[in-house]
Amino acid sequence: MSLLVVGSIAIDSIETPFGKAEEVLGGSAVYIALAAGYFSAPVRLVGVVGSDFPKKYVEFLEEKDIDVDGLQIIPDGKTFRWGGRYHYDMNVRDTLYTELNVFEHFNPELPPNYRKVSYVCLGNIDPVLQEQVLLQMEHPRLVVGDTMNFWIERKRAELLKTLSMIDVLVLNDSETRLLAQEPNLIKAARTIIGMGPRFVIIKKGEHGALLISEKMFFSAPAYPIEVINDPTGAGDAFAGGLIGWIAKTDDQSEENLKRAVIYGSVMASFCVERFGVDRLKDLTYLEIQNRFRSFRELSRFDEETIFP
Ligand code: AMP
């Protein structure tokens, strides 16, 4: 099944207590597309870069079977740049700079063959741009969307409009509370379901993820990773594994969404092992499958009870 990904395409500079990476390929769409591509290729990419965007990065995306027909390259434009520094507690991150550059005037225009695509993943960008993409699609079967504090605070009305067109919303815990204006995560998720999405997925970083619909609740375990070098893009890799699995199987049942949440967690757990997109470059299917099985083992227990 075909899959479309829209989001930022960036040149990132990242510092963590374990090292740094300067001017590397990043952006929400890149992480999503790389992770999703292991399940459902080719991924159709929609985004914008400037003429300073290294040609080797475009070639790399093509090598990974990512369709770049929807990538706009603006002559004399400067690519979106983001810099981040993580603390020893890697849940804490300082954004050093966000230079929107070509993103400020981005007008996503879908090539005709992108409009019929069945599965869509909206990476974290301005909700107005997310809506613009959806309005060009013919009949998507499922739309997964991501957002962040920045848009919840600054473009709430626009975000609420886009939310009415999203089936599965992926957020972290603080974004969930902020959007719903409710401290309890389960109540907050149900409030968000009232805004449009059928499912809300709350990513809790190293503590796993929750999948919530009006009637069901599923808690995915956290994988005990011993080597974490760089958490950048983990949330996007999660969204990529999730939509990639749903597109591959073309199955939106609740049971399959649970599997998709685990595949999302698998891709996020790989992502953090190395800097930038490095670990997502050359995974094998065997590695992905083995980690999926390890996730299952993590929360499996038998039904014996000590009570009479
Ligand atoms: P995450 O770690 O999931 O927040 O994603 C990090 C990626 O998002 C980096 O590669 C950045 O280039 C990109 N990013 C950071 N801030 C923004 C923003 N305001 N809009 C779009 N993309 C962003």
Side-chain angles (χ1 to χ4, degrees), residues 54-100:
K55 204 162 164 267
K56 65 174 183 196
Y57 290 162
V58 179
E59 287 164 359
F60 163 70
L61 295 171
E62 286 175 319
E63 272 163 34
K64 298 305 292 180
D65 209 3
I66 294 171
D67 179 349
V68 293
D69 278 358
L71 176 67
Q72 293 175 25
I73 303 177
I74 307 295
D76 300 320
K78 216 177 159 211
T79 302
F80 173 78
R81 274 176 165 70
W82 177 80
R85 184 192 292 134
Y86 292 84
H87 292 226
Y88 205 70
D89 169 359
M90 290 217 265
N91 294 310
V92 187
R93 168 169 96 185
D94 299 328
T95 293
L96 302 177
Y97 56 87
T98 302
E99 295 173 12
L100 290 176

Side-chain angles (χ1 to χ4, degrees), residues 8 10 12 26-28 31 80 82 86 93 98 100 124-125 148 150-151 231-236:
S8 56
D12 288 345
S28 56
Y31 282 97
F80 173 78
W82 177 80
Y86 292 84
R93 168 169 96 185
T98 302
L100 290 176
N124 160 36
I125 47 170
M148 69 185 290
F150 187 83
W151 304 117
T232 306
D236 304 313

Side-chain angles (χ1 to χ4, degrees), residues 51-284:
S51 49
D52 59 342
F53 191 67
K55 204 162 164 267
K56 65 174 183 196
Y57 290 162
V58 179
E59 287 164 359
F60 163 70
L61 295 171
E62 286 175 319
E63 272 163 34
K64 298 305 292 180
D65 209 3
I66 294 171
D67 179 349
V68 293
D69 278 358
L71 176 67
Q72 293 175 25
I73 303 177
I74 307 295
D76 300 320
K78 216 177 159 211
T79 302
F80 173 78
R81 274 176 165 70
W82 177 80
R85 184 192 292 134
Y86 292 84
H87 292 226
Y88 205 70
D89 169 359
M90 290 217 265
N91 294 310
V92 187
R93 168 169 96 185
D94 299 328
T95 293
L96 302 177
Y97 56 87
T98 302
E99 295 173 12
L100 290 176
N101 299 329
V102 288
F103 247 108
E104 263 178 292
H105 305 289
F106 181 39
N107 179 18
E109 177 87 35
L110 302 197
N113 64 322
Y114 279 35
R115 296 172 195 235
K116 293 187 189 334
V117 165
S118 309
Y119 290 93
V120 183
C121 190
L122 303 170
N124 160 36
I125 47 170
D126 187 329
V128 175
L129 297 177
Q130 293 178 325
E131 186 198 17
Q132 245 173 284
V133 168
L134 292 181
L135 291 175
Q136 294 174 63
M137 303 292 304
E138 289 181 9
H139 305 287
R141 289 196 199 176
L142 185 94
V143 179
V144 171
D146 190 3
T147 192
M148 69 185 290
N149 289 15
F150 187 83
W151 304 117
I152 299 172
E153 281 164 354
R154 289 176 205 215
K155 294 222 171 165
R156 192 177 178 85
E158 293 85 345
L159 178 62
L160 289 179
K161 209 163 152 227
T162 306
L163 276 187
S164 66
M165 302 161 83
I166 287 178
D167 300 291
V168 183
L169 183 67
V170 184
L171 297 157
N172 69 28
D173 37 9
S174 68
E175 291 159 354
T176 305
R177 293 189 176 101
L178 185 68
L179 177 58
Q181 296 176 325
E182 158 63 53
N184 178 287
L185 282 182
I186 309 302
K187 283 190 195 160
R190 298 245 150 87
T191 302
I192 294 170
I193 287 165
M195 297 170 179
R198 283 185 286 137
F199 294 93
V200 173
I201 296 175
I202 306 175
K203 298 168 291 181
K204 285 147 50 68
E206 57 195 323
H207 304 297
L210 303 173
L211 167 69
I212 300 158
S213 72
E214 205 181 354
K215 297 201 180 84
M216 64 89 81
F217 177 91
F218 171 66
S219 174
Y223 187 77
I225 315 167
E226 292 190 24
V227 184
I228 302 183
N229 274 306
D230 172 19
T232 306
D236 304 313
F238 177 95
L242 175 95
I243 188 84
W245 176 258
I246 300 171
K248 178 185 173 67
T249 51
D250 192 26
D251 174 357
Q252 299 184 28
S253 66
E254 284 184 355
E255 281 313 305
N256 201 48
L257 257 82
K258 291 179 189 174
R259 283 180 216 115
V261 168
I262 301 296
Y263 275 114
S265 308
V266 164
M267 300 315 281
S269 75
F270 281 124
C271 180
V272 303
E273 289 180 352
R274 288 199 220 139
F275 273 81
V277 296
D278 225 43
R279 188 69 175 105
L280 298 180
K281 282 181 178 169
D282 52 9
L283 285 167
T284 64

